[in-house]
Amino acid sequence: MKLGRVASWFLVGFGVWSVIIWPRFMEAIWDDKRSWDNGPTSFFLVHAVLVAVSVVAGVSIGVIGWRSVLGLRKMNA
C-alpha cells in the first residue's frame, strides 16, 4: 500500500503532536489533587495508561508516516 505525500506528512504531524501533547497532559494529571491519596488513585492510573498507549501509538504512526515520506523521496529521486 502506498501513501500519498499529504497523508504521509499528516501521519508525521500526528506523531509529533502526540509526543508534544500527551506528556503535557500527564503533567496536569500528576498535579491534579484526585491523582494521589496515600499513593496513586485509579484516576491517575487510568490516565497514565491512556497517556502511555497514546504516546506509543503516536510514535508508531509518526514512524509509519516518516518511512512513507522517505519512500516517496526515493521514488522521485
Side-chain angles (χ1 to χ4, degrees):
M1 178 176 152
K2 293 182 183 178
L3 295 174
R5 183 176 50 89
V6 173
S8 299
W9 280 109
F10 176 80
L11 295 179
V12 171
F14 181 84
V16 170
W17 172 263
S18 294
V19 169
I20 291 171
I21 293 301
W22 285 107
R24 292 177 56 100
F25 179 73
M26 192 65 213
E27 288 178 26
I29 296 300
W30 187 276
D31 293 335
D32 194 306
K33 64 182 179 183
R34 297 172 290 179
S35 294
W36 306 102
D37 183 25
N38 293 327
T41 63
S42 57
F43 173 82
F44 176 82
L45 295 173
V46 165
H47 284 88
V49 169
L50 172 68
V51 169
V53 168
S54 296
V55 168
V56 168
V59 168
S60 300
I61 290 168
V63 167
I64 291 168
W66 185 247
R67 291 180 68 181
S68 179
V69 167
L70 294 178
L72 289 170
R73 287 184 180 176
K74 286 181 183 176
M75 286 176 44
N76 293 331

